[in-house]
Amino acid sequence: MIKKICMTVFALFLLLPSWSQAGSFGKDDPSGVPGQWYVGTTPSYVAPSKHPLLFVHGLNSSSNTWWNENNMYDTAYQNGYETAFIDLYPTKNMWDNGALLAQKIRDIHNYYGEKVVVVAHSKGGIDTQSALVHYGAFPYVARVITLSTPHYGSQLADLAYSSWAGWLTGILGSKNDATYSLQTGYMSYFRSETDHHQNVNRNPVYTFGGTTWGSFGSSLYWGGLYLSAYNSNDGAVTVNSSRLPYGTELRVGDWNHSTIKEGSSTFNLFENYLNEATNTSGFNSHSVVESKEADNAASFIRGGEYSGKKQEVVLVEQGAQSVTFDWISNSPSSQLILKDPGQKADSIFKVEKDESEYFNGAYHHTVTVKDPAPGEWKVEASSSSAEKYLLHVSFESAMNDAMRIHLAQNGISLKTNSSNLKFKQNMTIEYYKDGKLKKSKVKTKNDSLKLPKLGEGVYNVTVDIEGSKDKNAFKRSFIKSVYIDDSGKVYGQ
């Protein structure tokens, strides 16, 4: 199919020189050129009722995500649809990509002579909504299908910008304008700018969400484990975030963040929404009202940089059903030993390379312990060279529901469900403005959870907890992002 596409585009160069921005693509152009768009092979018969399809990729991706190890393009072709694909900036925010995409949507509309249906994966759905609502591309689009789009951001983006993870994501290149804009605090601000805009209901939006993670030790499995504190997810985006209150949810299914964009997974479920005469009221769909995330106490997080040897101590409480240790580093050769409270040592970590959107290029060293002995567990690492790392410990325990974190007026609020719970807290803030780190590791006075007045920008907040319930000791970490505008208004979830 790729050869056919290349031949089609070559013909366009010869016959339609005014459309020269539509270039050839395939294995020689794996990363894509931002702003370049491509025309798929025209099926032998195209029904007049079928809209052309424009496929939009997500974060740290490119147009070839729709045909490399993916049958979405081939499925659309076999079903008689004209197709177009575009490359956006893989690491820029929804404003830059929205402006670029709006220009190209107009060109693609003019090429086909009719409106297109946009099928967007992940952040591509946010870029698309930005193009339609804020940059005026709505007249050229019939409707939008979003596949696991984080309409309310991703807590993995919050983690990537946190004080514990910044060492690692900085060297991985994960701290970029795109990830910055997907922090839940910033996305709350984007929703406030978008959801009441006069153009927001010009194009119907249909959403899909996933509930399955990858295999044990994989990046999507780890992402799913981290996000499980915030409800069902596909390893990168929670189901709640994939929804829009004024959109129509077509399906939540057992897809992960990668398989949800495959043609064999979802195409047949949204095909009825691709035609010009579609009567959407006749299909099995329903509107979904936004629901809040859980924000429960399921994680303990540490991170930083070391050379030689490093030890992290993890406190496991009595009654925990399981605990998963995930040492994430920029090196696959980390030598790790896990010691239980009785000092029994074992090297039982499974190593997998991260291929996700937020920690791409890192290495996960993962192990799960069932019915762990209570007390101090130790992760001991050694490396012959300097290493950046992030330790994420996930608990399956009744203690997870003992405490929750919420955004309060001018600060963060911790709520407990037990009078027997005693704890002390420590809050650290990474303050960013326009994507640039302005102040790092800001501490509040007297362990206060009130946000300092640093100005407009994103406040990435880490709250570390050490406490006990009925004399049962525990430690946990909460990470949350908040956006404060130039008038002092607070945005967050």
Side-chain angles (χ1 to χ4, degrees):
M1 295 300 296
I2 296 300
K3 290 184 177 178
K4 292 181 179 179
I5 298 171
C6 292
M7 290 174 63
T8 299
V9 177
F10 180 71
L12 288 174
F13 278 131
L14 296 179
L15 301 176
L16 298 167
S18 62
W19 299 103
S20 59
Q21 72 272 25
S24 63
F25 64 111
K27 63 182 180 180
D28 296 328
D29 186 22
S31 61
V33 177
Q36 196 156 316
W37 56 276
Y38 320 98
V39 177
T41 301
T42 302
S44 57
Y45 174 74
V46 179
S49 63
K50 293 183 176 181
H51 281 293
L53 309 183
L54 170 60
F55 290 93
V56 181
H57 64 80
L59 175 67
N60 292 325
S61 187
S62 63
S63 58
N64 65 18
T65 193
W66 299 106
W67 64 83
N68 278 1
E69 299 182 0
N70 184 357
N71 61 357
M72 179 62 84
Y73 163 60
D74 188 58
T75 302
Y77 173 81
Q78 295 298 335
N79 281 274
Y81 287 89
E82 297 173 291
T83 54
F85 308 85
I86 189 166
D87 277 306
L88 300 179
Y89 297 105
T91 60
K92 289 195 175 184
N93 62 32
M94 71 286 285
W95 308 110
D96 292 331
N97 275 345
L100 177 63
L101 181 58
Q103 299 173 22
K104 304 306 174 182
I105 285 176
R106 182 177 60 251
D107 293 345
I108 293 168
H109 166 271
N110 291 341
Y111 171 77
Y112 283 112
E114 60 177 306
K115 292 183 177 181
V116 300
V117 172
V118 175
V119 180
H121 178 237
S122 194
K123 180 177 172 288
I126 299 168
D127 295 336
T128 297
Q129 193 176 33
S130 178
L132 302 182
V133 174
H134 296 287
Y135 295 98
F138 63 86
Y140 314 113
V141 172
R143 58 190 69 95
V144 179
I145 312 291
T146 66
L147 306 175
S148 190
T149 288
H151 294 290
Y152 290 85
S154 175
Q155 290 79 8
L156 288 172
D158 293 347
L159 177 62
Y161 270 81
S162 69
S163 57
W164 288 125
W167 295 88
L168 177 61
T169 53
I171 197 171
L172 293 174
S174 300
K175 295 172 75 172
N176 53 54
D177 289 347
T179 305
Y180 176 83
S181 70
L182 290 178
Q183 292 177 89
T184 57
Y186 191 86
M187 281 303 301
S188 180
Y189 165 71
F190 176 75
R191 296 260 60 91
S192 73
E193 293 289 298
T194 304
D195 293 349
H196 303 289
H197 195 283
Q198 62 181 357
N199 294 335
V200 73
N201 290 315
R202 305 270 192 173
N203 309 101
V205 180
Y206 302 89
T207 68
F208 284 79
T211 60
T212 300
W213 312 344
S215 59
F216 177 77
S218 68
S219 49
L220 286 178
Y221 179 88
W222 167 75
L225 196 62
Y226 182 80
L227 292 175
S228 63
Y230 306 93
N231 286 326
S232 299
N233 67 86
D234 66 358
V237 176
T238 65
V239 171
N240 286 341
S241 188
S242 74
R243 294 165 168 163
L244 280 172
Y246 49 82
T248 300
E249 183 174 82
L250 296 185
R251 188 71 61 90
V252 171
D254 58 350
W255 308 290
N256 64 38
H257 196 63
S258 179
T259 59
I260 198 170
K261 70 176 187 291
E262 294 175 358
S264 53
S265 295
T266 51
F267 184 86
N268 68 311
L269 300 176
F270 62 73
E271 185 177 8
N272 285 332
Y273 296 83
L274 305 180
N275 300 322
E276 295 179 6
T278 295
N279 179 9
T280 56
S281 62
F283 295 101
N284 182 25
S285 62
H286 61 280
S287 296
V288 180
V289 177
E290 176 194 0
S291 57
K292 295 293 184 181
E293 304 288 12
D295 286 276
N296 68 16
S299 295
F300 174 76
I301 298 170
R302 289 294 183 269
E305 181 180 27
Y306 78 97
S307 181
K309 295 184 179 296
K310 180 67 178 180
Q311 176 180 274
E312 291 287 3
V313 178
V314 179
L315 190 60
V316 178
E317 66 268 12
Q318 182 78 38
Q321 292 100 331
S322 72
V323 58
T324 298
F325 300 85
D326 191 6
W327 182 277
I328 313 167
S329 74
N330 62 315
S331 171
S333 58
S334 302
Q335 301 299 312
L336 296 175
I337 295 175
L338 180 65
K339 288 185 177 180
D340 67 15
Q343 298 302 302
K344 179 182 177 182
D346 213 334
S347 180
I348 51 177
F349 291 85
K350 179 180 179 180
V351 182
E352 293 279 351
K353 188 174 182 180
D354 194 310
E355 297 179 349
S356 71
E357 298 174 324
Y358 298 99
F359 290 81
N360 190 279
Y363 293 87
H364 292 266
H365 306 73
T366 312
V367 61
T368 294
V369 179
K370 299 290 186 181
D371 299 316
E376 289 188 349
W377 289 69
K378 298 175 182 177
V379 181
E380 297 181 348
S382 59
S383 177
S384 58
S385 58
E387 181 178 316
K388 314 293 194 301
Y389 75 96
L390 174 68
L391 174 63
H392 170 235
V393 183
S394 179
F395 297 88
E396 183 184 1
S397 171
M399 194 67 73
N400 294 0
D401 296 321
M403 180 180 296
R404 296 181 185 276
I405 189 171
H406 298 270
L407 178 63
Q409 185 68 31
N410 297 326
I412 303 297
S413 170
L414 285 171
K415 295 186 178 181
T416 65
N417 63 5
S418 173
S419 59
N420 297 326
L421 186 66
K422 298 179 180 180
F423 63 91
K424 59 182 179 179
Q425 63 209 20
N426 177 42
M427 186 164 81
T428 306
I429 296 171
E430 301 289 287
Y431 167 59
Y432 290 83
K433 183 175 182 180
D434 299 327
K436 306 297 183 183
L437 180 63
K438 296 298 183 181
K439 292 186 178 181
S440 180
K441 301 189 183 303
V442 178
K443 301 288 186 180
T444 55
K445 295 181 180 180
N446 302 320
D447 294 328
S448 167
L449 295 181
K450 185 177 181 180
L451 292 172
K453 295 181 179 180
L454 302 175
E456 177 188 3
V458 172
Y459 295 60
N460 190 291
V461 179
T462 298
V463 180
D464 290 310
I465 303 293
E466 182 176 354
S468 65
K469 182 181 180 184
D470 300 321
K471 298 182 180 181
N472 188 12
F474 69 94
K475 289 184 178 181
R476 291 295 194 272
S477 303
F478 291 99
I479 293 173
K480 196 172 189 69
S481 69
V482 175
Y483 181 81
I484 299 180
D485 67 16
D486 57 2
S487 66
K489 186 175 180 179
V490 179
Y491 300 85
Q493 299 178 30

